[in-house]
Amino acid sequence: TRQIMTPESVQMIRDIQNTLENNPYYPNLCLAKSPTDSSCEGALTFTSFLSPQPSQQEINAVLSKASVEPLFVQAKVFFENSWGPEYLNPRWARSIYRFGMPIDDGKKRYDSSTDDFDGQEEYYLDFLDDVQPDLVDMGGDLMDVYFFSYEWWGLVFRRTMLSDMLWILAGILFGLVYMMIHTRSVVFPLLGLLQVVASVPIAFFLYRVVMQVIMFNMLNLLAIFVVLGVAADDFFIFMDVWKHSGTIPSLKDDLESRVAYSHRIATRAMLLSTTVAFFAFISTTISELAPITAFGLFSANLVLVNFLLTITFLPACAVIHARFMQKRASKSQKEVTKVPQDVEKNAPINTEEVGLAVEDKPAPKSPQNTNKNVFKKIADIQPRKVLENDYSDLLSRFKIPIVIVFTLWFIAAATMGSFIGPLEEIELWVPKDSNVGIAFHKVLYDYHRSEEDGFIKIDIVYGIKGLDRDDTRAFDVNDRGDVEWDDDFDLTPKANQVRMVELCSFLKNSSLVQDGIVRCF
């Protein structure tokens, strides 16, 4: 609803541009006018059509004139795509700044765009991080200012990912606490977490070194959260069987038999879930999309490695822990039954004196026993107590309505799922209500395209017969194969040249080409 084309707004836009251009980083980053002239190329902005202090009448006149060819072609990229002869009051306008590499940051002059690319990019990101807050705040109540570049979008995305990691840590902490309550132990849950962490580098070794898969993208990182769930299932299965084996009289004092029993029972159950998960991920390798296939291979390796660690590492830790506890219990028993040296073996005990001593000075409760009682009370508060009583009674009384509700729920969900289709908009990967998220959406959908925008560029090359991909590696995105040239291709005939001209005209008028931006030789 705000009018962007007023004298006050034009002056504010120029102030914002001056703030950006006066930033100390800017002269080292701006696009040079020519190889021999290192001064900054000016911004692409609609204010260049106006005088230094334009009146409203001048602004309206320029807009009216610019909306007509040929000025319309030059000016339309600055305004929203609905702007034109029939709509002369745009609500949105933009200025485009161009930056170039190599840069000279005052400390080092880089030789080319590839010379320490990360260092040049870091310098550019420092500039964006320094200037962006000032530009956004300058709009005040007069206008909303949004700031966008693909590098800034990437920086905001990485920061968003780091902040989301806190929720992941919170989820892991919750899982650890629950596992401690369930197992009544602090050691085993930590060992289970260590097992998951250790499975990642081992799986990556198999993935990269053994399978020779080079591709590793962000999708592969999601496999870590998948294996967390699988690992938790395997952990609970083994620990429940291990704890149960300690209650069997014929096994509790024989560690070897106890391990054999636990290993045999737990492995059967874990093998079933592991096999299902493993082959589910392996099935993705039939996809023609390399990132999906790479994700499936890495996830399958993670599941397999975690299973092997669960049936080897975790039982070994359980045996070490059991032997340590046995020695500790045996040592405590010896201390309790030990007879003082100053008391003779067969000396009579004065029961009256002992009785008086107990009445006068009652023995204090052992802190160790108190701690155990407190821990036992905490451990007794378990979800299974509720499941075994109230919830099981609820299921028994309302079994038929529960089945009906969940059946209807499944039918509704399946019906809605059948309408799922491909994405109609590009995924933002940043919060939609953030400054860069709003700017990205507007640049992508609300403006006419220009050659300065980051759209998909397609080069049509004549004379290519095909690609020889026999010796290519499927997961190496840089290995595209060898070009096979067409020896019969000839550009000299007039008919071939006419055909190229016709193709160029066709592409300029095609609805698939944004704003008809086509360059032909």
Side-chain angles (χ1 to χ4, degrees):
T1 58
R2 299 180 182 180
Q3 294 296 320
I4 200 69
M5 297 306 295
T6 64
E8 295 79 13
S9 298
V10 170
Q11 184 58 46
M12 177 59 71
I13 292 172
R14 283 176 168 166
D15 291 341
I16 293 174
Q17 293 172 352
N18 291 333
T19 300
L20 188 146
E21 294 171 5
N22 291 329
N23 187 280
Y25 287 92
Y26 181 76
N28 301 328
L29 292 166
C30 64
L31 181 66
K33 290 183 177 180
S34 69
T36 58
D37 186 359
S38 60
S39 59
C40 294
E41 185 75 33
L44 301 177
T45 174
F46 71 93
T47 58
S48 60
F49 295 97
L50 304 174
S51 63
Q53 294 182 342
S55 63
Q56 189 65 57
Q57 291 77 9
E58 178 188 348
I59 294 175
N60 293 338
V62 171
L63 286 175
S64 179
K65 183 179 179 180
S67 65
V68 183
E69 296 287 358
L71 283 178
F72 177 73
V73 178
Q74 302 177 23
K76 67 178 183 178
V77 297
F78 303 124
F79 303 118
E80 57 187 299
N81 48 26
S82 60
W83 177 77
E86 299 178 357
Y87 182 70
L88 296 177
N89 293 313
R91 296 168 300 172
W92 296 94
R94 65 171 175 169
S95 298
I96 302 174
Y97 279 87
R98 295 168 292 178
F99 300 93
M101 297 170 68
I103 65 174
D104 182 2
D105 61 7
K107 298 179 181 179
K108 177 181 179 181
R109 181 176 181 81
Y110 297 91
D111 297 330
S112 65
S113 59
T114 59
D115 180 15
D116 190 11
F117 177 83
D118 293 337
Q120 296 189 68
E121 184 182 41
E122 183 179 358
Y123 185 82
Y124 177 59
L125 291 176
D126 290 340
F127 160 68
L128 298 180
D129 206 14
D130 181 66
V131 75
Q132 192 266 352
D134 295 334
L135 300 183
V136 172
D137 294 339
M138 286 185 68
D141 297 331
L142 185 61
M143 66 179 67
D144 296 323
V145 180
Y146 298 98
F147 183 88
F148 176 78
S149 76
Y150 284 101
E151 290 76 12
W152 176 250
W153 172 88
L155 181 62
V156 173
F157 170 72
R158 291 191 292 271
R159 289 176 176 176
T160 304
M161 287 288 293
L162 290 176
S163 62
D164 290 344
M165 290 294 291
L166 297 177
W167 292 105
I168 298 175
L169 294 177
I172 294 175
L173 180 61
F174 174 81
L176 277 176
V177 172
Y178 181 83
M179 293 165 71
M180 290 177 183
I181 295 176
H182 180 81
T183 60
R184 300 186 182 186
S185 172
V186 176
V187 176
F188 282 110
L190 293 177
L191 290 174
L193 180 60
L194 176 63
Q195 171 187 312
V196 175
V197 174
S199 65
V200 176
I202 299 175
F204 183 77
F205 174 83
L206 296 175
Y207 175 82
R208 177 61 63 85
V209 178
V210 179
M211 295 185 174
Q212 292 292 305
V213 180
I214 298 177
M215 178 180 292
F216 194 90
N217 49 36
M218 187 171 297
L219 185 62
N220 288 27
L221 297 178
L222 300 179
I224 299 175
F225 305 106
V226 175
V227 80
L228 276 173
V230 177
D233 293 340
D234 293 347
F235 175 83
F236 283 121
I237 290 173
F238 177 80
M239 290 307 303
D240 284 346
V241 175
W242 176 256
K243 288 171 60 179
H244 175 69
S245 66
T247 63
I248 301 176
S250 60
L251 299 177
K252 65 178 182 178
D253 295 327
D254 187 353
L255 280 180
E256 293 184 1
S257 301
R258 188 179 174 187
V259 170
Y261 170 83
S262 302
H263 197 274
R264 183 176 67 256
I265 300 300
T267 301
R268 291 175 182 174
M270 290 186 293
L271 184 61
L272 177 61
S273 60
T274 300
T275 303
V276 172
F278 178 81
F279 283 103
F281 288 121
I282 286 294
S283 64
T284 63
T285 57
I286 64 176
S287 173
E288 295 182 358
L289 301 176
I292 301 297
T293 302
F295 166 75
L297 289 175
F298 183 67
S299 301
N301 281 324
L302 269 177
V303 172
L304 178 61
V305 171
N306 178 76
F307 171 73
L308 295 177
L309 289 177
T310 304
I311 63 176
T312 54
F313 174 76
L314 198 58
C317 293
V319 173
I320 294 174
H321 181 265
R323 286 179 176 174
F324 172 77
M325 295 303 294
Q326 283 181 353
K327 290 182 179 180
R328 185 177 179 183
S330 176
K331 183 178 179 181
S332 300
Q333 184 67 24
K334 289 180 180 180
E335 291 179 353
V336 171
T337 57
K338 185 177 180 181
V339 179
Q341 295 180 358
D342 56 345
V343 179
E344 294 183 6
K345 221 176 202 182
N346 299 323
I349 300 177
N350 191 334
T351 55
E352 294 182 359
E353 292 181 1
V354 172
L356 290 174
V358 170
E359 288 181 357
D360 293 342
K361 296 181 180 180
K365 293 184 179 181
S366 172
Q368 184 178 358
N369 294 336
T370 304
N371 292 338
K372 287 184 178 180
N373 292 335
V374 173
F375 187 77
K376 184 176 183 304
K377 290 179 181 180
I378 297 176
D380 287 340
I381 307 175
Q382 298 185 43
R384 66 184 183 188
K385 298 291 184 181
V386 179
L387 296 176
E388 292 173 357
N389 299 315
D390 300 338
Y391 191 67
S392 59
D393 294 340
L394 182 67
L395 294 178
S396 300
R397 293 176 58 187
F398 300 100
K399 50 186 177 296
I400 296 179
I402 288 174
V403 172
I404 294 175
V405 169
F406 275 88
T407 301
L408 295 176
W409 190 0
F410 170 76
I411 294 174
T415 303
M416 295 178 63
S418 64
F419 293 103
I420 296 178
L423 289 174
E424 297 180 357
E425 294 184 356
I426 296 178
E427 189 69 35
L428 288 180
W429 298 105
V430 295
K432 291 184 177 181
D433 56 348
S434 65
N435 186 278
V436 69
I438 296 174
F440 179 71
H441 187 277
K442 291 191 174 298
V443 168
L444 198 62
Y445 298 106
D446 295 343
Y447 286 97
H448 290 281
R449 284 297 194 194
S450 74
E451 295 186 8
E452 306 300 331
D453 290 310
F455 53 87
I456 298 175
K457 181 181 179 182
I458 299 177
D459 294 324
I460 299 178
V461 181
Y462 298 96
I464 295 179
K465 186 177 181 179
L467 284 175
D468 182 7
R469 298 182 57 85
D470 291 340
D471 297 329
T472 58
R473 292 183 293 182
F475 300 102
D476 187 355
V477 295
N478 297 318
D479 190 0
R480 299 179 176 88
D482 298 324
V483 176
E484 295 179 342
W485 297 100
D486 187 359
D487 296 333
D488 297 330
F489 175 76
D490 188 3
L491 189 60
T492 56
K494 181 179 178 180
N496 292 351
Q497 298 179 22
V498 171
R499 180 56 179 163
M500 290 184 179
V501 174
E502 292 175 350
L503 178 60
C504 184
S505 300
F506 170 78
L507 292 175
K508 288 182 178 180
N509 297 320
S510 173
S511 59
L512 299 177
V513 179
Q514 183 72 40
D515 294 331
I517 302 175
V518 178
R519 284 187 176 183
C520 301
F521 66 94

